[in-house]
Amino acid sequence: MKKLIALLALALLSQPASAQDAPKWSLAIHGGAGTLDPKAMTPEKRAAYEADLQRALDAGSKILAEGGAAMDAIKAAIIIMEDSPLFNAGKGAVFTWDGTNELDASIMDGRDRSAGAIAGVKTVKNPILLADTVRTQSEHVMLMGAGAEAFAVEKGFAVTPPEYFATPARREALERLKAEKLSALDVDHKFGTVGAVALDQQGNLAAGTSTGGMTGKRWGRVGDAPVIGAGTYADNRACAVSATGWGEYFIRVGVAHEICARLRVQRELLPRQMGIGDPHRSPTPMSHYYQVLARSDQGAADAVMADVASLGGDGGVILVTPEGEAIFSFNTTGMYRGRATSAGVNEVAIFGGEEKASATPDH
């Protein structure tokens, strides 16, 4: 009987709530979370951010809609943001104390939990592509600094000159930090890390994150973005997560893995708690089960972000579930973000509470 119950539960979990409301594919992106002031956001600046977020969303969505892989979709979305000077990743990355741009990135495939990451790279135009090459063409998970750059050259990556990454706004931020003896948080009112998570039509999940770190960082500081389990995690059994925020706290909490672990446990326990497959209980409507699951998933993400806040950290996460829910959770005033699904959701937002009422409620 126990085996029968398990098989029934598995059958339910493998089916959508209904043919109409369960997304066949789903994508969420972010471009950084932080202390964002709506009054300081000019219409022109807002339009520029929204345009680049939409371009990234469209690039990933096109791949997913045409039946492409989640891994390809997140890379396409992240490359758009790495190439934009508006975000702290690739071109437009912040400066270190020594006046250089050091780039970090990571990527993970939910099918087999293969992962790749790079840290402290200065000569690679699109760090997310190098992270994926570490995943697919090496026996390692993380490479750093000069070694990662040598690996990149060996694998055919062009050497990008340092001036490509530099922008006047980021240089001014470093100069102000030094002149006024400020912290990175004083000059960076947002964390411009970029990321993407996706579910494809084959049911596979993927996550990726890319960043330039924090303004004025020293001593080879590395945050959560390239750390698998902190800034990035993907597991087909649970979810795909990409984080942005104060990396030291995200590492201490293990944010990305912690969220996925909670979602995996929920998928193991909730069917039993709701009596799914129990012949002695009235059958639970499939739609009700997925509604409860979606609320539980949002609650898990919010709880982990609350844990980050309790330690003194801030930031946010995006995640996509095996059922196609695209979820945001952040404990800052805003997060540059967007999501699109095959069920018709397509939106970008910056401040809290800007999503349409038809989408998953934001926190």
Side-chain angles (χ1 to χ4, degrees):
M1 180 60 72
K2 287 183 179 180
K3 186 174 181 180
L4 176 60
I5 292 173
L7 288 172
L8 288 170
L10 181 62
L12 178 59
L13 285 170
S14 67
Q15 297 181 36
S18 75
Q20 292 157 341
D21 61 12
K24 295 178 182 177
W25 58 262
S26 187
L27 173 71
I29 63 172
H30 71 73
T35 306
L36 307 177
D37 182 2
K39 296 177 183 177
M41 180 69 70
T42 65
E44 294 78 14
K45 189 175 182 181
R46 179 173 187 137
Y49 274 106
E50 290 179 342
D52 278 357
L53 287 169
Q54 190 64 58
R55 286 199 307 123
L57 201 61
D58 290 346
S61 296
K62 183 175 187 295
I63 291 171
L64 295 171
E66 293 175 353
M71 289 294 292
D72 292 333
I74 64 167
K75 285 186 286 185
I78 290 172
I79 286 170
I80 296 290
M81 294 185 283
E82 286 181 335
D83 290 347
S84 168
L86 296 178
F87 303 104
N88 176 21
K91 187 176 185 64
V94 300
F95 282 90
T96 68
W97 183 266
D98 295 324
T100 60
N101 306 107
E102 293 183 358
L103 313 170
D104 308 330
S106 63
I107 195 166
M108 189 165 185
D109 190 332
R111 291 174 296 184
D112 57 3
R113 283 175 281 170
S114 59
I118 53 99
V121 170
K122 301 178 183 178
T123 62
V124 177
K125 180 183 177 184
N126 293 114
I128 195 65
L129 295 181
L130 181 56
D132 195 45
T133 303
V134 172
R135 181 185 72 88
T136 59
Q137 298 185 39
S138 83
E139 64 271 35
H140 307 299
V141 170
M142 179 181 283
L143 299 180
M144 63 174 286
E149 292 175 348
F151 174 80
V153 171
E154 185 176 306
K155 297 302 179 182
F157 282 75
V159 176
T160 303
E163 55 267 26
Y164 166 81
F165 303 102
T167 60
R170 299 301 193 189
R171 192 177 296 279
E172 186 276 333
L174 176 65
E175 292 171 353
R176 187 155 54 91
L177 177 143
K178 288 185 173 182
E180 302 177 23
K181 297 182 179 179
L182 304 173
S183 74
L185 298 181
D186 292 320
V187 297
D188 290 335
H189 297 294
K190 71 178 184 67
F191 302 96
T193 296
V194 306
V197 292
L199 168 75
D200 62 32
Q201 294 189 47
Q202 289 71 49
N204 296 315
L205 294 163
T209 311
S210 181
T211 189
M214 298 183 83
T215 297
K217 63 184 180 181
R218 305 173 75 174
W219 309 299
R221 179 265 184 188
V222 177
D224 67 301
V227 178
I228 299 300
T232 302
Y233 203 77
D235 183 343
N236 276 8
R237 300 171 298 174
C239 66
V241 179
S242 175
T244 172
W246 197 338
E248 281 70 15
Y249 293 94
F250 280 68
I251 292 172
R252 288 163 61 186
V253 174
V255 166
H257 181 270
E258 177 72 11
I259 290 173
C260 278
R262 292 187 184 209
L263 265 61
R264 183 159 56 88
V265 170
Q266 286 175 177
R267 279 154 180 75
E268 292 171 355
L269 296 182
L270 194 57
R272 187 162 58 233
Q273 292 170 349
M274 297 182 69
I276 294 171
D278 186 344
H280 303 295
R281 294 177 61 173
S282 300
T284 298
M286 203 177 296
S287 59
H288 178 58
Y289 167 75
Y290 280 101
Q291 289 170 4
V292 173
L293 188 63
R295 288 196 298 269
S296 299
D297 291 343
Q298 181 74 61
D302 292 343
V304 174
M305 287 309 303
D307 192 19
V308 171
S310 73
L311 297 178
D314 59 359
V317 295
I318 56 173
L319 58 145
V320 166
T321 71
E323 298 74 34
E325 292 288 337
I327 295 171
F328 304 126
S329 182
F330 53 96
N331 58 20
T332 53
T333 56
M335 180 167 71
Y336 295 98
R337 61 200 187 276
R339 59 184 162 196
T341 75
S342 57
V345 174
N346 189 312
E347 60 191 10
V348 296
I350 298 176
F351 302 103
E354 292 186 333
E355 284 79 17
K356 298 174 185 138
S358 61
T360 303
D362 192 26
H363 291 67

